[in-house]
Amino acid sequence: MKALKTSNLRTALLAATLASIVGLTGCGSDSKSNSASSNSGSNTGNNGGNNSGNVTKPGTGQQADGLFAVRGDWAIMDGEITSKIVDQLNTLVKNNPQVKTVVLQNVPGSSDDEMNLKAGLRLRQLGLNTYLPPGGEIASGGVDLFLAGKERFAAQDVLVGVHSWGGDGVKDASTLPRDHASHKPYLDYYKALGINEDFYWYTIKAADADNIHWMSSAERKQYGITTRAATEKELNMITHHASTDKAIGALFSQYTWVNAANKKPIHIFASKTVAPLQMAKARAVMQHYLTNEKGLQNKDKMSAKLGDDQASLFMFATQQDSEAAFNGSLGQSALAQHGQDLYASEVFVEGTQNYLKRSEASGRDATYEEILHLVQGHGLASAEKALQERIVTLANQALADKSWNPSQEDVNEWQAETDQNGYTSLNYEYLAAAVEGFYGLWGYSDRGLDGYLGTTRLVQQQKDPGGLALIKEVWPSYITTSMPISADFPAGETFSLQYNSALEYTSQSQYLQHVHLTGSNNSNILGNDQANILRGNEGHNIIDGAGGDQDVAVFSGLQREYQVSQQGKEWHVSDNINGRDGHDVLLNVEFISFRDNDRVNVNDL
């Protein structure tokens, strides 16, 4: 079936939550509607980069033709299917025998049906699974390939598009009699895969060859598009470890990544006890540090450097686990030469008790600090020399001015640690303290990280104006990626993005711009004066955009799968599909985003 042009309009809404979703186009018409660690930068050495050839090192590669990017035991597919698909698939499995699942991120169709059907049979023969991830889109021939998976699973917020086919003198397959020979290749294919032939007859009636029909959740269930539900780890884009290194394989059973500017992965490895949402938060923070924003420092050079060197974040349960690993086999691993550790005990997911009452937590949230050490030590310091030199000067000035007050013992230790670029760890620790102050992590206290006085932006302006100015040149005032709110956040409570002196956590949450509830508790969200992107969970939620005039409430399904009504100043959005989005009440929200209709102005409903 010929490719149809599709565009993933909701990339901005979803990439911050999960792995980046990149919309590619094929031929045809667009049928969418409206459309502080001891290794904080002191590691040296190089892991040798990537192998030459059609793919890079097993588990971390991008095929030369760009169709498949291998991440762990997943092969992420992004683009139109062409006549080369069988060869591409065979090359993929030859060079990456660990691959178990083909992830169809955005596959708008095929330009060669014959080869696509052969590829599907080959995929089934290999016993590979297929996965349609959050925000994923498949249409036409992409659906045929997806159906070849031994196991087929998908997120809720996906698009599955079907239509009739045309070509070789046939304007539309639906006009041919059922016994016409042209139907046979497709019917044989579905039979070989165990798909009822009713699905084929449904597809050619659903839309003509020049249009497309997005399948509803009920239709996907009726025709057996998937064989099981996606797991929490799969929904959070977490796969098995992505390295053949024995030390990595022995320590880590979970893997996710951030795509660098050069499309290479920046690795996040985690031990089995690290929660998926902790990994998701780490990924979101790293994406925030590396996302380009208009008018600010371009991040492409530092991001590409991280990708080139296969920079890695290692997430352990505790500090003791990390120290044992680095003193053992991990310390000898090439990946550790551009690595940074982070403990699960120091990752406070939004909405957890530790996040809500930081002053009472036994530890602290080191997510922003440790990931910044990785970004600075293995990206910024070497790729942006002038910026790095400014940070060194500011660190020394903050010590002299007493706006930053670490112990002398810590200062001596940091000055003794030298990274591969010749810089000591002192400036890394200073920048982390200043950034934590900027994003409100210590707003409830009069002292920040290592005695940093700038616990609010107002105090930063008074005590460390140079540091504040630098941060504002490099990073935006609000966190630009969507942060997950823990499923443990209590029912009946409202997670606020507005500062409230009675709510300790809001000194930090006031700088969030986009959030999404997880789980099924009937909890709520209160936005701030930014253009918020807000998403509920499976429960019944009140979503209040508050200030601003560009707030968006996001829903998983097609617009026709919801009942939308206005009651006074409230908009009620009720999901017709059980166990998905529940019944949400919207206040001060200007736009609603459905999976097939990206930005519906509530005034047009």
Side-chain angles (χ1 to χ4, degrees):
M1 299 179 187
K2 73 185 180 96
L4 285 180
K5 179 180 178 183
T6 60
S7 58
N8 192 345
L9 301 179
R10 301 206 315 169
T11 297
L13 309 181
L14 297 166
T17 310
L18 304 157
S20 298
I21 304 298
V22 181
L24 299 183
T25 59
C27 60
S29 61
D30 188 349
S31 56
K32 265 192 171 182
S33 305
N34 296 337
S35 307
S37 164
S38 61
N39 12 336
S40 59
S42 59
N43 291 325
T44 59
N46 193 300
N47 60 10
N50 294 316
N51 294 334
S52 60
N54 195 45
V55 295
T56 56
K57 285 186 176 182
T60 63
Q62 179 89 25
Q63 260 187 219
D65 51 43
L67 184 63
F68 292 107
V70 177
R71 302 290 186 261
D73 59 353
W74 286 357
I76 299 176
M77 187 177 180
D78 202 331
E80 183 184 352
I81 299 167
T82 69
S83 58
K84 298 187 294 182
I85 182 61
V86 175
D87 289 339
Q88 290 169 322
L89 184 60
N90 284 332
T91 299
L92 169 72
V93 295
K94 177 182 177 181
N95 291 309
N96 300 275
Q98 83 281 4
V99 167
K100 295 182 176 64
T101 300
V102 175
V103 181
L104 287 80
Q105 181 169 281
N106 194 313
V107 184
S110 62
S111 60
D112 188 332
D113 274 9
E114 181 180 359
M115 295 306 294
N116 186 45
L117 299 184
K118 288 182 179 179
L121 295 175
R122 175 63 172 149
L123 191 149
R124 175 62 67 88
Q125 180 186 45
L126 292 166
L128 298 176
N129 303 321
T130 50
Y131 175 37
L132 189 54
E137 298 182 12
I138 53 175
S140 194
V143 179
D144 289 335
L145 191 66
F146 179 82
L147 290 171
K150 180 181 178 182
E151 286 190 330
R152 305 184 299 273
F153 43 102
Q156 292 181 328
D157 52 342
V158 297
L159 286 177
V160 178
V162 296
H163 67 145
S164 187
W165 56 268
D168 295 329
V170 179
K171 183 177 180 180
D172 193 295
S174 65
T175 64
L176 300 175
R178 285 203 170 199
D179 60 355
H180 196 283
S182 296
H183 295 307
K184 190 173 187 302
Y186 302 104
L187 292 171
D188 288 346
Y189 177 74
Y190 291 136
K191 182 178 180 180
L193 299 180
I195 304 297
N196 193 298
E197 70 172 37
D198 288 349
F199 176 67
Y200 172 70
W201 302 119
Y202 155 77
T203 65
I204 65 173
K205 292 290 187 181
D208 61 37
D210 292 324
N211 290 289
I212 196 164
H213 170 76
W214 298 116
M215 297 181 70
S216 67
S217 177
E219 288 170 329
R220 298 202 304 264
K221 182 178 181 180
Q222 177 184 351
Y223 291 106
I225 300 300
T226 57
T227 60
R228 67 169 176 84
T231 66
E232 182 184 8
K233 289 183 179 180
E234 290 160 349
L235 292 172
N236 281 289
M237 299 296 279
I238 297 169
T239 179
H240 293 301
H241 66 82
S243 173
T244 55
D245 187 308
K246 291 183 178 179
I248 302 297
L251 291 166
F252 306 107
S253 59
Q254 302 185 88
Y255 172 76
T256 190
W257 68 94
V258 168
N259 285 327
N262 54 9
K263 297 186 178 180
K264 295 179 181 179
I266 304 168
H267 305 299
I268 301 176
F269 300 100
S271 62
K272 63 181 180 181
T273 55
V274 179
L277 281 190
Q278 290 181 309
M279 296 181 68
K281 173 167 182 169
R283 184 178 58 231
V285 171
M286 188 182 297
Q287 286 175 326
H288 169 73
Y289 283 140
L290 296 174
T291 297
N292 286 324
E293 292 288 330
K294 186 177 180 180
L296 301 181
Q297 172 81 37
N298 186 279
K299 315 297 194 307
D300 287 353
K301 289 182 179 179
M302 64 179 81
S303 174
K305 178 63 175 173
L306 291 163
D308 284 339
D309 288 341
Q310 294 198 59
S312 302
L313 181 70
F314 301 108
M315 298 185 71
F316 296 91
T318 64
Q319 180 177 351
Q320 291 74 20
D321 291 342
S322 174
E323 291 174 349
F326 275 100
N327 289 331
S329 59
L330 182 60
Q332 305 304 313
S333 169
L335 286 174
Q337 302 309 306
H338 295 282
Q340 174 65 46
D341 59 352
L342 175 63
Y343 321 137
S345 57
E346 294 185 332
V347 180
F348 297 172
V349 174
E350 276 71 356
T352 60
Q353 189 60 30
N354 280 341
Y355 182 92
L356 299 175
K357 295 290 289 184
R358 291 189 55 168
S359 62
E360 298 177 3
S362 58
R364 67 180 187 86
D365 188 350
T367 312
Y368 286 85
E369 178 199 5
E370 306 299 358
I371 294 174
L372 183 59
H373 287 334
L374 180 71
V375 169
Q376 183 187 2
H378 303 282
L380 183 157
S382 56
E384 300 289 352
K385 294 283 190 180
L387 181 60
Q388 171 64 19
E389 291 293 342
R390 285 180 61 193
I391 296 169
V392 171
T393 299
L394 288 167
N396 292 329
Q397 186 66 48
L399 277 179
D401 291 345
K402 300 295 184 183
S403 59
W404 182 44
N405 300 279
S407 69
Q408 189 59 50
E409 181 182 358
D410 283 341
V411 171
N412 293 341
E413 180 181 342
W414 296 333
Q415 288 178 331
E417 294 175 346
T418 304
D419 69 7
Q420 67 269 26
N421 300 300
Y423 296 107
T424 71
S425 293
L426 182 72
N427 71 91
Y428 295 104
E429 302 298 339
Y430 159 74
L431 183 62
V435 167
E436 284 196 356
F438 184 72
Y439 288 120
L441 272 71
W442 298 90
Y444 64 92
S445 175
D446 61 357
R447 288 291 177 108
L449 184 61
D450 299 314
Y452 185 72
L453 298 184
T455 58
T456 69
R457 295 180 185 183
L458 178 61
V459 177
Q460 275 188 310
Q461 182 60 55
Q462 299 167 347
K463 301 293 186 179
D464 186 21
L468 177 64
L470 181 138
I471 294 170
K472 292 173 73 172
E473 290 175 29
V474 180
W475 291 290
S477 295
Y478 290 80
I479 302 299
T480 56
T481 46
S482 183
M483 300 302 289
I485 300 172
S486 171
D488 294 332
F489 186 67
E493 296 292 323
T494 298
F495 188 89
S496 177
L497 307 189
Q498 297 182 20
Y499 178 70
N500 181 341
S501 59
L503 298 174
E504 180 182 292
Y505 74 91
T506 59
S507 64
Q508 180 177 354
S509 68
Q510 66 177 316
Y511 298 120
L512 299 178
Q513 188 170 356
H514 315 306
V515 296
H516 57 280
L517 294 166
T518 64
S520 58
N521 284 344
N522 297 333
S523 46
N524 312 311
I525 305 173
L526 176 64
N528 51 30
D529 61 0
Q530 297 298 294
N532 302 132
I533 298 173
L534 308 173
R535 187 169 189 164
N537 57 17
E538 295 178 12
H540 304 320
N541 315 124
I542 299 173
I543 299 176
D544 188 344
D549 59 1
Q550 296 290 315
D551 298 313
V552 181
V554 180
F555 295 88
S556 302
L558 308 179
Q559 184 172 352
R560 67 178 186 267
E561 297 176 324
Y562 296 83
Q563 298 292 326
V564 182
S565 62
Q566 185 177 15
Q567 299 180 24
K569 295 182 178 180
E570 300 176 348
W571 285 94
H572 289 247
V573 183
S574 183
D575 194 344
N576 294 331
I577 306 301
N578 291 329
R580 190 170 61 178
D581 289 332
H583 178 108
D584 290 352
V585 177
L586 310 183
L587 289 164
N588 301 305
V589 169
E590 289 72 38
F591 298 93
I592 301 176
S593 178
F594 299 103
R595 191 62 190 93
D596 60 332
N597 204 347
D598 179 58
R599 198 175 176 86
V600 182
N601 192 311
V602 294
N603 293 323
D604 295 333
L605 291 169

